[in-house]
Amino acid sequence: MKLIDDVLDSSKEKSEYALFVKAMILRINGNIHESLEMFKKCHLLDPSNIDYLKQFGRSLYLLGRHKAAIDVYDECLKITDQDWEIYYYKGLSYKYLRIYDEAVINFRKANEIQKHDCTFIE
């Protein structure tokens, strides 16, 4: 983390990769709010990178902000509609909001794109 902070200091927080790695480490360590801010900075540096947006949505999902996560995943779908993870996490968000019809639609779409055990289980 010290090395990452040094890179971020020297780049004036313009190193997308360092921000992304720091965000992932923060989230793994349970600092989801901080990771959310790091992913937001990544997205601001490169709005066309869908991975930053997906991770931003994932952090919102983990924070229990399911409606906001769905909104972010809808933004992802404007970039690509062929990513199973977008539909999977969107489906999970709908599931936790108890909007089961939408959850099923999204899980089915995820499986149409790429089959995964986690999607079948849901």
Side-chain angles (χ1 to χ4, degrees):
M1 196 64 108
K2 171 78 172 102
L3 178 60
I4 293 169
D5 288 334
D6 290 345
V7 169
L8 289 173
D9 286 341
S10 67
S11 70
K12 297 181 179 144
E13 293 205 352
K14 300 289 185 207
S15 172
E16 292 174 40
Y17 184 71
L19 284 168
F20 184 80
V21 171
K22 184 173 182 174
M24 293 297 286
I25 292 170
L26 287 168
R27 191 167 70 199
I28 289 167
N29 290 332
N31 300 320
I32 301 170
H33 286 286
E34 291 177 58
S35 77
L36 184 68
E37 292 305 313
M38 294 287 118
F39 287 126
K40 185 186 279 186
K41 288 179 183 180
C42 289
H43 177 64
L44 290 173
L45 288 172
D46 184 1
S48 66
N49 189 324
I50 194 161
D51 291 324
Y52 302 152
L53 202 52
K54 284 180 3 184
Q55 293 302 328
F56 184 72
R58 177 86 169 116
S59 290
L60 288 168
Y61 165 79
L62 291 171
L63 288 169
R65 295 174 55 192
H66 302 295
K67 177 63 176 114
I70 290 168
D71 292 342
V72 169
Y73 292 128
D74 285 339
E75 287 299 312
C76 291
L77 291 173
K78 292 178 184 176
I79 298 170
T80 182
D81 64 351
Q82 293 302 307
D83 188 323
W84 76 274
E85 280 185 313
I86 297 168
Y87 290 103
Y88 174 71
Y89 285 110
K90 189 175 173 187
L92 285 178
S93 295
Y94 276 119
K95 174 185 163 186
Y96 284 103
L97 290 172
R98 295 187 171 122
I99 305 172
Y100 300 117
D101 291 343
E102 286 295 321
V104 169
I105 290 167
N106 281 278
F107 292 139
R108 285 184 177 152
K109 183 67 178 170
N111 271 331
E112 286 174 14
I113 295 169
Q114 191 171 354
K115 293 174 178 34
H116 288 271
D117 290 346
C118 57
T119 312
F120 277 111
I121 290 168
E122 291 301 330

